[in-house]
Amino acid sequence: MSKIKLIILGIIACIMCCTPTEAALTFPNINIGMQTLNTPQDFSNGLQILIWLTILTLAPSIFIMATSFIRIVVVLSLTRQALGAGNLPPNQVITSLALILTFFIMAPVFNEINESALQPYMKNEITQQAALDRGIIPLRKFMFKQTHEKELALFVRMAKIEKPKTKDDVPMFILLPSFILSELKTAFTIGFVVYLPFLVIDIVVSSVLVSMGMMFLPPTMIALPFKLIMFVMVDGWYLVVKSLVESFVT
């Protein structure tokens, strides 16, 4: 149960810090019922409920985008495509492995959020706003380590805001897209390196078939067993997963 609360706190902290506002955050008290809106306050409460339902719907997707999931799932998908084995492993396996590795990599960040924000809040030692402010700090540290300065400068320039002097001055709505763009760049760089050995095998097999006059024989069909043998012999999944995890640790 504590893990679920921890994830929920991280989602809420990430979502609310993505909006460029300094207003204090309060959670609405939701009561289900059909009543006539007689005052502006009633309308405001109904609007808050609608906004929170929208946030909760988008929260899992946005929260995943603020973790290591992007890089992992892209690299694993490119590895499968480089193998040329069709839909093997299936999308469910790729996504599940990416999620498991994401929780493994993000475990220190989640533990820090739990110790610094969730547990004090559950013990009524800090306020709700203080818990959210503390909870977002470990996540920001992780994102800054993986974000390139070029991407940060791009979104700061496009947002037309004053150049931040420190990392603490960078708003979350600038950091999040910069992090996503940096992760995509890193993921495709790693994917290119993974793709190269399989590309060499395809070229060699195609050249051999052409030299033997077998131009109508599909090279991919002949190259697939060789790629699978090479991938198994070098323990490919071990190397790919090891490289992915170490790319975040370092």
Side-chain angles (χ1 to χ4, degrees), residues 195-240:
Y195 221 106
L196 278 179
F198 301 103
L199 179 62
V200 172
I201 294 178
D202 287 333
I203 294 175
V204 171
V205 171
S206 298
S207 301
V208 172
L209 291 177
V210 171
S211 63
M212 295 177 63
M214 300 179 180
M215 293 178 292
F216 297 100
L217 187 64
T220 55
M221 183 178 67
I222 305 301
L224 178 58
F226 293 99
K227 291 190 287 187
L228 289 176
I229 291 174
M230 183 199 73
F231 197 69
V232 171
M233 290 182 63
V234 301
D235 203 355
W237 290 116
Y238 170 85
L239 294 176
V240 171

Side-chain angles (χ1 to χ4, degrees), residues 87-98:
N87 291 326
L88 295 176
N91 291 330
Q92 293 86 346
V93 175
I94 294 293
T95 305
S96 300
L97 179 58

Side-chain angles (χ1 to χ4, degrees), residues 144-194:
F144 269 117
K145 289 181 180 179
Q146 314 302 329
T147 304
H148 305 148
E149 293 184 2
K150 181 180 179 181
E151 280 70 24
L152 275 175
L154 171 65
F155 285 98
V156 168
R157 184 171 63 254
M158 291 193 298
K160 298 180 180 180
I161 63 175
E162 185 179 355
K163 184 178 179 180
K165 297 180 180 179
T166 63
K167 292 182 178 180
D168 295 335
D169 297 332
V170 178
M172 197 65 180
F173 76 96
I174 294 293
L175 177 59
L176 185 58
S178 303
F179 170 78
I180 295 175
L181 193 61
S182 299
E183 283 294 279
L184 287 174
K185 180 179 179 180
T186 304
F188 276 91
T189 302
I190 298 175
F192 173 75
V193 176
V194 173

Side-chain angles (χ1 to χ4, degrees), residues 89-142:
N91 291 330
Q92 293 86 346
V93 175
I94 294 293
T95 305
S96 300
L97 179 58
L99 285 173
I100 292 172
L101 292 177
T102 298
F103 280 107
F104 176 80
I105 294 171
M106 299 298 297
V109 178
F110 291 155
N111 289 335
E112 189 175 350
I113 294 175
N114 182 45
E115 294 175 0
S116 63
L118 181 60
Q119 293 302 324
Y121 176 69
M122 298 299 292
K123 296 176 182 177
N124 294 324
E125 296 177 357
I126 58 176
T127 62
Q128 183 183 105
Q129 186 64 41
L132 293 174
D133 293 338
R134 289 187 184 183
I136 200 64
I137 292 176
L139 191 60
R140 285 174 60 90
K141 289 181 181 179
F142 170 81

